[in-house]
Amino acid sequence: MASAPERLGRVVLTNVEASGAWPSAAELPNLRAVVHPVVGPVFKAMLGARAVRQSVFSIATVEAHPLDASTLDHVVDGLTSSPERWQRLVRFYRWQLDPSRRASPLAGVPAMRRFDRPVLVLWGAADTNVWAQVAQRLVGDLPRARLEWVERTGHLPRLERPAASLAAVDRFLAEAP
């Protein structure tokens, strides 16, 4: 949006951090555990247990069904399957926990306000990780944005309500520019 807006015809944003509001209070203990030099390796080992995986990721959805064992395996394996992947997660969480980075999501606001293409802000109505106010702020900062809520859905609308999410994107893409 900032460096090459001409390359984008339309944009769909869904439950993204955009105002320095992440991580949420519910996520902080897990982020702190991952980056802790002693607790981090123990936490990583504990993620091998399905019950721990389910507990850690349960804050992202309204209902537990999208987080079946296979889905959790893919998510956790993608984060922990090699030392390099784990270290990338540790670096990202350290950055997220750094108070000095709170302004970085806001640095893009001037470019967002100049972006003149259609934007769909598709948001899980019950997201407790990235709040509804962030979605509303995005719509206020993007001149051609509109907000569509996916009801009974948390942070992962594409996973929790795939049919409703896909229908919203299909409608958006079918509209005239």
Side-chain angles (χ1 to χ4, degrees), residues 52-63:
V52 173
R53 291 177 178 196
Q54 185 70 38
S55 175
V56 166
F57 289 95
S58 68
I59 62 174
T61 60
V62 172
E63 299 173 14

Side-chain angles (χ1 to χ4, degrees), residues 12-107:
V12 176
L13 299 173
T14 178
N15 298 72
V16 298
E17 179 206 359
S19 67
W22 188 84
S24 67
E27 295 169 296
L28 280 173
N30 292 332
L31 272 68
R32 289 182 178 133
V34 167
V35 303
H36 193 278
V38 175
V39 177
V42 174
F43 187 84
K44 179 183 176 192
M46 290 175 58
L47 284 172
R50 290 226 157 94
V52 173
R53 291 177 178 196
Q54 185 70 38
S55 175
V56 166
F57 289 95
S58 68
I59 62 174
T61 60
V62 172
E63 299 173 14
H65 76 273
L67 298 174
D68 61 26
S70 175
T71 301
L72 286 173
D73 288 348
H74 286 293
V75 170
V76 173
D77 289 349
L79 300 171
T80 64
S81 62
S82 71
E84 294 80 15
R85 286 177 183 254
W86 179 253
Q87 285 310 308
R88 183 176 15 180
L89 180 67
V90 170
R91 283 191 308 274
F92 176 64
Y93 282 2
R94 278 192 187 123
W95 178 76
Q96 286 293 324
L97 292 167
D98 182 352
S100 68
R101 74 106 203 141
R102 291 277 185 231
S104 62
L106 300 176

Side-chain angles (χ1 to χ4, degrees), residues 85-149:
R85 286 177 183 254
W86 179 253
Q87 285 310 308
R88 183 176 15 180
L89 180 67
V90 170
R91 283 191 308 274
F92 176 64
Y93 282 2
R94 278 192 187 123
W95 178 76
Q96 286 293 324
L97 292 167
D98 182 352
S100 68
R101 74 106 203 141
R102 291 277 185 231
S104 62
L106 300 176
V109 171
M112 291 168 57
R113 290 183 175 152
R114 291 187 304 272
F115 189 73
D116 66 351
R117 304 296 189 340
V119 177
L120 171 63
V121 178
L122 183 66
W123 215 264
D127 189 349
T128 58
N129 296 349
V130 183
W131 310 285
Q133 296 90 332
V134 174
Q136 293 160 341
R137 179 178 179 151
L138 281 167
V139 171
D141 287 336
L142 291 157
R144 294 189 57 199
R146 80 161 195 266
L147 175 59
E148 189 161 334
W149 299 105

